[in-house]
């Protein structure tokens, strides 16, 4: 069966590949032509080949099984790539770097002089109510002044074509391994397109990550020992932890492998005895990191780890307390932060947001619940949200009680019509909604992945892109065009 | 290498080796049942004793029929020592070792564990038993070959070799034990004509018949086979050969001096034993002792290298750091 882009229902959303009327967007011409030349049946064959490659390469994610165990599922990948023209990407890249710089300055300020609070730019009571503010981190000077070394910011494009930042994940963002593996698979599926086009490579990430981690080692260490700290095989991102450790050639450790000495140094137990660790890329949440400092019932962490970090004997990435900026209320202040710390205007806009903590905005939100998305400020993964247009009267009533009881805990946003990308569904090409998660590394310099992980909602009309809830993924191509 | 990882790698190899030897154990007993006249055949119950699983077997309340015993040894998920459990545990360990194991190894092991899980009942049926057991032996052998063929020299490979050889020495001694029990009435005239054929099948079940002939140039006779399978330095499934290989690996590992000499002691002891003079009962007792020595070596390895055995506190840490 032939593919005719003129029949493709791009409207009413912004489609990333096809403009209304069926013409390919700038940068996507070659892909669109190539897909046409292949036709549906050949495309289906290649989709099957991609799925077989995913299986053979062992690219999995873990979902919890109903019966208590956990199982590995093959990573879902749709072969039609999402294309972004390099010129546009350069602007996004600059916007993300600007954002990461401002966020790190904000976190450092919050744990020191709190100038932004004293100057009245960030309200003091918001800080006092923040659940991710860690008093244990006050006055600490992490190497290079960086707290959020690895940031995953979610981008979405609205119906008008504007790329917005939806949220910044500064705790333990995941997904980068799938970005890297998707490219490996898609190169096998469309080798001819990679030969004929300038698709910018993504493979540098593990080396950049490793270099950044080495750069934050305590001073005076010639060959720092860098490790990845995982909660263990039952964590949904365990594949990624193992993958990154392997790609960087460093040890993948669990909490029980590490011990903090009386002199505040961290050691891991090896077959040769004890061996000092200088940098920990930790994939365990703050509260589970050190039972002495945070949750005493945590068995995942290392007793004394925070003490070692405070003493400057070990570097932690991300630094404890970095999550203070991973809060949807703080998010609404990022453009103000950029202005305050950098004296610049934000290159990438936020999604317009209403703060329920502000009485007048709260009134607007409550009066317009049916048209808004209401989000708790401290949850991730889409939990505890109200999708106004799809809610029932009763749900809205219940939610308005929740919001009134704790307005600090909620923000509201207009429902965004996320952009779409052509996706292979049951031997047809249909538009499906996507987002994009680039990863930003902050060390002595700030670097952004070339593109990021595109997640796609596989059900028609759905905006849920999470892989645990039936979301898929796409390779993301940053394409250099000659024009 | 991390102690926890070394521990996992060591056990991964032990579990895979255990699965292979369980297949060999069942096979040697099955052939014994075919070879011997009904009144002399030892039945299947001895396998429960020999695998050290009597207690669990009683708890599960199984009958002592051939079917139940084979199912217990190979297919019973509630028996920690069954083939299904051994491979399931190997697979779980391999999952934690993905960053050091080549993908092919994981895929192969995964496939084997799934196969045994689905097909273990084939071993219960006499007609499909042999095919199933041969498949398991072949698949575990190819896994071992894969490790040798594509994993770089280093602690991961060494700890796997260590685990494999300790487990193999132990299981070979158990397989000899099966037949040694059959040796008991060897002095009696009824056993005479069957002795040779029995011990040939022991050798065959360990794939060692040809190697025995080449090495010894002798006919197959009970003490000769016992001596060969326990004391030969070159046959890969003979206890002393396993110990020698474990020793070679230990020499490459740190802090191994006392372990190396402990293994040497056991080797010397076996080499100095004259198996010609032992009857079946004495062989059985000898093998009991041998298994205790192997367990002591395992314990030593654990104390020297693995998490559970290490003092939990850094030597310089003082008393304030005690933890479980």
């Amino acid at each position: 069966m032939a593919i005719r882009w003129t029949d493709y229902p791009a409207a009413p959303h912004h489609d990333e590949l096809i403009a209304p009327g069926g013409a390919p967007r700038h940068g996507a011409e070659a892909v669109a032509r190539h897909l046409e030349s292949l036709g549906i049946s050949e495309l289906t064959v290649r989709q099957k080949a991609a799925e077989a490659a995913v299986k053979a390469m062992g690219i999995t994610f873990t979902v919890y099984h109903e019966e208590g165990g956990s199982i590995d599922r093959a990573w879902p990948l749709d072969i039609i790539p999402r294309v972004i023209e390099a010129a546009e990407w350069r602007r996004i890249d600059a916007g993300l770097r600007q954002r990461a710089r401002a966020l790190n300055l904000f976190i450092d300020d919050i744990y020191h002089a709190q100038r932004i609070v004293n100057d009245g730019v960030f309200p003091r009571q918001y800080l006092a109510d923040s659940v991710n503010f860690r008093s244990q981190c006050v006055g600490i000077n992490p190497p290079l002044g960086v707290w959020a070394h690895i940031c995953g910011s979610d981008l979405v494009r609205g119906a008008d074509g504007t790329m917005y930042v939806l949220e910044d994940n500064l705790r333990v963002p995941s997904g980068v391994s799938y970005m890297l593996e998707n490219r490996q698979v898609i190169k096998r599926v469309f080798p001819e397109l990679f030969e004929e086009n300038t698709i910018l490579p993504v493979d540098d990430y593990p080396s950049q990550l490793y270099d950044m981690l080495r750069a934050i080692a305590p001073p005076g260490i010639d060959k720092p020992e860098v490790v990845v700290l995982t909660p263990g095989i039952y964590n949904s991102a365990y594949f990624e932890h193992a993958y990154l450790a392997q790609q960087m050639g460093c040890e993948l450790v669990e909490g029980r492998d590490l011990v903090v000495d009386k002199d505040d140094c961290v050691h891991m137990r090896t077959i040769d005895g004890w061996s000092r660790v200088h940098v920990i890329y930790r994939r365990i949440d703050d509260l589970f990191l050190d039972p002495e400092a945070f949750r005493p019932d945590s068995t995942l962490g290392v007793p004394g780890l925070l003490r070692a970090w405070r003493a400057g004997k070990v570097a932690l990435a991300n630094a404890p307390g970095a999550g203070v900026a991973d809060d949807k209320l703080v998010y609404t202040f990022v453009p103000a932060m950029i202005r305050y710390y950098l004296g610049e205007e934000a290159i990438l806009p936020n999604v317009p947001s209403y703060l329920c903590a502000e009485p007048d905005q709260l009134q607007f939100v409550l009066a317009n619940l049916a048209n808004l998305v209401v989000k708790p400020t401290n949850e991730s993964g889409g939990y505890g949200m109200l999708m106004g247009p799809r809610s029932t009267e009763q749900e809205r009533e219940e939610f308005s009680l929740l919001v009134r009881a704790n307005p600090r805990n909620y923000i509201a946003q207009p429902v965004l019509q996320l952009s779409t990308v052509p996706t292979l569904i049951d031997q047809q090409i249909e538009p499906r909604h996507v987002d994009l998660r680039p990863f930003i590394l902050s060390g002595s310099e700030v670097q952004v992945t070339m593109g990021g992980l595109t997640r796609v909602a596989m059900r028609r009309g759905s905006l849920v892109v999470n892989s645990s809830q039936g979301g898929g993924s796409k390779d993301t191509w940053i394409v250099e065009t000659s024009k | 290498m991390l102690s926890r990882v070394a521990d996992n790698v060591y056990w991964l190899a032990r579990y895979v080796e255990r699965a292979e030897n369980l297949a060999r154990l069942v096979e040697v007993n099955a052939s014994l049942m075919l070879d011997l006249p009904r009144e002399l055949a030892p039945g299947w119950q001895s396998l429960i004793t020999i695998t050290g699983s009597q207690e669990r077997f009683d708890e599960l309340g199984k009958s002592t029929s051939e079917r139940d015993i084979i199912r217990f040894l190979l297919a019973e998920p509630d028996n920690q020592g069954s083939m299904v459990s051994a491979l399931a545990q190997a697979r779980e360990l391999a999952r934690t070792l993905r960053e050091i194991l080549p993908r092919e190894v994981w895929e192969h092991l995964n496939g084997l564990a799934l196969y045994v899980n689905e097909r273990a009942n084939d071993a219960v049926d006499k007609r499909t038993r042999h095919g199933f057991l041969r498949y398991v032996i072949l698949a575990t052998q190819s896994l071992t070959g894969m490790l040798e063929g594509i994993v770089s020299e280093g602690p991961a490979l060494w700890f796997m070799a260590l685990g494999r050889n300790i487990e193999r020495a132990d299981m070979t001694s158990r397989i000899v034990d099966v037949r040694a029990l059959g040796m008991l009435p060897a002095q009696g005239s009824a056993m005479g004509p069957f002795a040779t054929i029995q011990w040939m099948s022991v050798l065959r079940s360990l794939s060692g018949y040809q190697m025995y002939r080449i090495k010894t140039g002798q006919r197959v006779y009970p003490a000769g086979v016992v001596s060969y399978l326990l004391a030969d330095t070159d046959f890969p499934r003979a206890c002393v050969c396993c110990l020698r290989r474990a020793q070679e690996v230990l020499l490459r590992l740190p802090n191994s001096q006392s372990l190396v000499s402990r293994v040497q002691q056991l080797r010397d002891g076996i080499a100095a034993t004259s198996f010609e003079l032992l009857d079946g009962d004495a062989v059985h007792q000898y093998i009991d002792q041998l298994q205790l020595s192997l367990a002591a070596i395992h314990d030593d390895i654990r104390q020297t290298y693995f998490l559970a055995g290490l003092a939990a506190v850094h030597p310089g840490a003082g008393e304030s750091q005690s933890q479980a």
Side-chain angles (χ1 to χ4, degrees):
Chain A
M1 199 169 34
I3 296 169
R4 280 201 307 270
W5 293 117
T6 43
D7 295 343
Y8 174 77
H13 308 291
H14 178 101
D15 192 86
E16 299 282 341
L17 260 55
I18 305 297
R25 290 191 188 276
H26 197 38
E29 298 91 343
V31 175
R33 262 200 322 275
H34 192 65
L35 294 176
E36 267 175 348
S37 76
L38 291 176
I40 291 284
S41 54
E42 174 60 18
L43 212 51
T44 307
V45 169
R46 297 204 186 188
Q47 175 68 38
K48 294 239 162 71
E51 283 161 14
V54 164
K55 222 171 175 181
M57 290 164 75
I59 311 170
T60 60
F61 68 104
T62 309
V63 284
Y64 295 96
H65 201 250
E66 300 78 35
E67 286 144 34
S70 66
I71 47 168
D72 275 358
R73 283 221 187 125
W75 174 248
L77 167 61
D78 178 82
I79 59 169
I80 302 177
R82 183 243 192 98
V83 177
I84 303 173
E85 204 202 343
E88 187 193 10
W89 181 252
R90 279 190 274 276
R91 200 182 63 86
I92 295 172
D93 174 282
L96 291 168
R97 282 187 283 122
Q98 176 194 52
R99 210 169 165 94
R101 285 207 309 278
L103 283 164
N104 272 301
L105 289 167
F106 172 75
I107 303 167
D108 201 54
D109 186 19
I110 286 301
Y111 289 119
H112 291 95
Q114 302 192 342
R115 288 189 300 121
I116 195 167
V117 178
N118 297 331
D119 289 343
V121 177
F122 187 78
R124 189 173 300 279
Q125 81 271 14
Y126 290 172
L127 186 61
D129 298 337
S130 166
V131 295
N132 290 313
F133 177 80
R134 307 262 173 265
S135 56
Q136 297 91 334
C137 300
V138 171
I140 304 296
N141 293 302
L144 308 173
V146 175
W147 295 72
H149 308 86
I150 299 113
C151 172
S153 291
D154 291 346
L155 304 179
V156 292
R157 201 194 293 275
D160 62 349
T162 307
M163 193 72 103
Y164 296 99
V165 180
L166 184 65
E167 62 184 47
D168 306 291
N169 297 283
L170 302 174
R171 286 177 270 189
V172 285
S174 59
V176 77
S177 58
Y178 300 113
M179 173 192 87
L180 297 166
E181 292 283 73
N182 281 358
R183 176 60 54 88
Q184 293 304 318
V185 174
I186 296 301
K187 266 191 202 162
R188 292 190 195 177
V189 174
F190 292 127
E192 60 277 26
L193 276 171
F194 280 85
E195 275 165 25
E196 288 160 18
N197 294 276
T198 309
I199 300 158
L200 299 177
V202 296
D203 324 296
D204 285 349
Y205 183 80
S207 331
Q208 289 173 345
L209 175 63
Y210 186 65
D211 290 346
M212 183 277 286
L213 291 170
R214 280 181 68 119
I216 60 171
I221 307 293
D222 200 25
K223 281 190 172 168
E225 177 90 52
V226 177
V227 301
V228 178
L229 175 62
T230 174
I233 58 166
Y234 298 111
N235 187 274
S236 59
Y238 180 77
F239 169 84
E240 175 156 309
H241 308 160
Y243 179 89
L244 290 174
Q246 181 222 332
Q247 291 287 311
M248 293 192 291
C250 54
E251 297 282 2
L252 178 67
V253 306
E254 294 181 18
R256 57 200 162 113
D257 295 321
L258 301 178
V259 100
V260 180
D261 201 347
K262 223 177 184 179
D263 62 2
D264 296 336
C265 291
V266 180
H267 299 267
M268 59 180 171
R269 300 161 213 249
T270 76
I271 56 169
D272 297 279
W274 299 91
S275 173
R276 174 136 181 229
V277 171
H278 303 98
V279 181
I280 300 176
Y281 177 23
R282 51 100 174 195
R283 297 292 298 255
I284 296 182
D285 275 321
D286 274 4
L287 292 180
F288 295 92
L289 209 48
D290 177 356
E292 278 180 17
F294 302 116
R295 284 180 63 151
D297 60 337
S298 169
T299 52
L300 301 174
V302 185
L305 189 56
L306 199 79
R307 174 160 54 83
W309 174 71
R310 289 173 59 106
K313 298 292 175 64
V314 72
L316 297 177
N318 289 349
V324 69
D326 185 341
D327 171 320
K328 292 194 176 63
L329 191 145
V330 173
Y331 154 86
T332 63
F333 286 88
V334 174
M337 276 175 210
I338 293 172
R339 224 169 289 130
Y340 181 77
Y341 293 114
L342 306 175
E344 298 169 7
E345 283 306 309
I347 299 170
L348 293 174
N350 270 10
V351 177
S353 307
Y354 304 97
L355 303 184
C356 298
E358 297 293 328
D360 51 331
Q361 297 184 38
L362 175 64
Q363 287 318 309
F364 176 84
V365 170
L366 292 175
N368 292 281
L369 277 181
N371 303 316
L372 296 168
V373 189
V374 188
K375 298 174 171 178
T377 51
N378 276 309
E379 298 282 344
S380 58
Y383 293 104
M385 278 176 28
L386 177 81
M387 274 295 267
R390 299 198 181 168
S391 61
T392 64
E393 182 113 12
Q394 194 191 347
E395 284 168 335
R396 290 196 291 275
E397 270 169 34
E398 284 166 12
F399 220 82
S400 73
L401 289 177
L402 285 175
V403 174
R404 266 187 242 268
N406 189 0
R408 160 66 175 84
N409 201 29
Y410 294 92
I411 64 163
Q413 293 168 341
V415 180
L416 280 185
Q417 296 302 315
L418 300 191
S419 62
T420 56
V421 177
T423 302
L424 191 59
I425 306 280
D426 295 335
Q427 316 248 344
Q428 298 232 38
I429 290 187
E430 295 183 13
R432 287 293 181 269
H433 295 293
V434 295
D435 76 351
L436 176 65
R437 176 177 286 185
F439 295 85
I440 309 142
L441 292 177
S442 301
S444 39
E445 53 183 330
V446 182
Q447 292 165 300
V448 181
T449 47
M450 192 55 73
L453 176 65
T454 291
R455 298 186 298 177
V456 51
M458 297 302 281
R459 276 192 301 274
R460 177 178 302 171
S462 168
L463 300 172
V464 180
V465 294
N466 303 59
S467 51
S468 55
Q469 297 178 51
S473 70
K474 283 172 170 291
D475 193 17
T476 310
W477 291 2
I478 307 302
V479 176
E480 197 79 70
T481 53
S482 45
K483 281 172 250 174
Chain B
M1 167 174 271
L2 287 172
S3 295
R4 176 178 52 80
V5 174
D7 193 352
N8 289 350
V9 166
Y10 172 89
W11 275 107
L12 169 67
R14 282 200 75 151
Y15 284 129
V16 170
E17 187 64 27
R18 186 168 299 175
E20 177 180 341
N21 283 291
L22 278 168
R24 294 181 184 276
L25 194 65
V26 169
E27 194 156 69
V28 68
N29 206 62
S31 67
L32 185 66
M33 299 295 284
L34 296 179
D35 294 345
L36 292 184
R38 185 177 284 273
E39 65 275 16
L40 293 175
W44 287 90
Q45 237 177 319
S46 59
L47 293 196
I48 304 290
T49 333
I50 272 162
T51 52
S53 50
Q54 188 70 52
E55 203 178 324
R56 187 74 192 121
F57 187 77
D58 294 342
E59 277 168 19
L60 290 174
K62 301 283 178 187
S63 83
T64 53
S65 69
E66 175 177 336
R67 294 180 76 84
D68 268 14
I69 288 176
I70 290 187
R71 199 172 278 135
F72 173 79
L73 289 173
L74 302 183
E76 178 58 65
D78 285 335
N79 170 17
Q80 278 290 305
S82 70
M83 181 188 285
V84 160
S85 301
L87 288 173
Q89 290 171 93
R91 180 171 175 270
E92 282 308 304
L93 290 174
R95 199 196 283 284
T96 74
L97 296 168
R98 277 205 191 165
E99 82 279 11
I100 61 166
L101 286 182
R103 242 167 206 166
E104 292 102 306
V105 172
W106 156 254
E107 281 168 24
H108 185 76
L109 180 57
N110 191 31
L112 174 61
L114 295 175
Y115 176 86
V116 168
N117 200 31
E118 280 165 21
R119 307 285 292 275
N121 279 323
D122 283 5
V124 176
D125 191 328
K126 282 195 182 72
R127 284 166 309 166
T128 44
R129 179 182 297 154
H130 182 71
F132 171 80
L133 296 174
R134 290 322 293 177
Y135 178 86
V136 171
I137 290 168
L138 198 65
T140 47
Q141 286 275 309
S142 45
L143 189 69
T144 307
M146 221 178 228
L147 295 172
E148 289 293 325
I150 58 177
V151 180
S152 303
E153 290 277 328
L157 198 67
W158 300 333
F159 275 101
M160 279 193 270
L162 198 54
R164 178 167 59 250
N165 281 296
I166 298 292
E167 180 72 22
R168 188 179 286 175
D170 181 74
M171 288 300 273
T172 292
S173 75
R174 289 177 198 270
I175 287 167
V176 172
D177 209 10
V178 178
R179 211 30 80 97
L181 288 178
M183 249 166 93
L184 280 175
Q187 282 78 6
S189 58
M191 205 60 191
F194 300 105
T196 306
I197 198 167
Q198 280 181 60
W199 285 94
M200 273 164 68
S201 69
V202 173
L203 283 170
R204 286 218 171 91
S205 71
L206 287 168
S207 314
Y209 178 65
Q210 225 178 331
M211 293 294 127
Y212 172 86
R213 297 303 291 249
I214 292 168
K215 177 71 180 268
T216 65
Q218 279 177 326
R219 66 180 177 83
V220 171
Y221 69 105
V225 176
V226 171
S227 166
Y228 180 71
L229 290 178
L230 296 184
D232 190 72
T233 50
D234 303 321
F235 178 57
R237 311 199 79 81
C239 288
V240 165
C241 182
C242 294
L243 291 170
R244 180 176 63 76
R245 290 182 167 188
Q247 220 175 6
E248 281 165 13
V249 170
L250 282 168
L251 283 168
R252 312 179 78 159
L253 289 171
N255 310 317
S256 60
Q257 268 173 325
S258 71
L259 257 166
V260 170
S261 50
R262 180 159 209 159
V263 174
Q264 187 61 45
Q265 245 176 5
L266 183 56
R267 279 183 63 177
D268 292 345
I270 300 173
T273 306
S274 175
F275 294 97
E276 306 281 343
L277 303 174
L278 302 180
D279 65 3
D281 202 25
V283 169
H284 178 62
Q285 280 167 23
Y286 184 84
I287 286 174
D288 263 0
Q289 282 307 309
L290 176 59
Q291 283 166 4
L292 288 177
S293 305
L294 287 169
I297 290 171
H298 164 74
D299 219 45
D300 233 11
I301 293 171
R302 213 167 59 88
Q303 297 286 342
T304 312
Y305 300 114
F306 303 155
L307 199 60
L310 275 178
V313 180
H314 184 251
E319 60 294 312
S320 70
Q321 277 289 305
S322 64
Q323 61 172 58

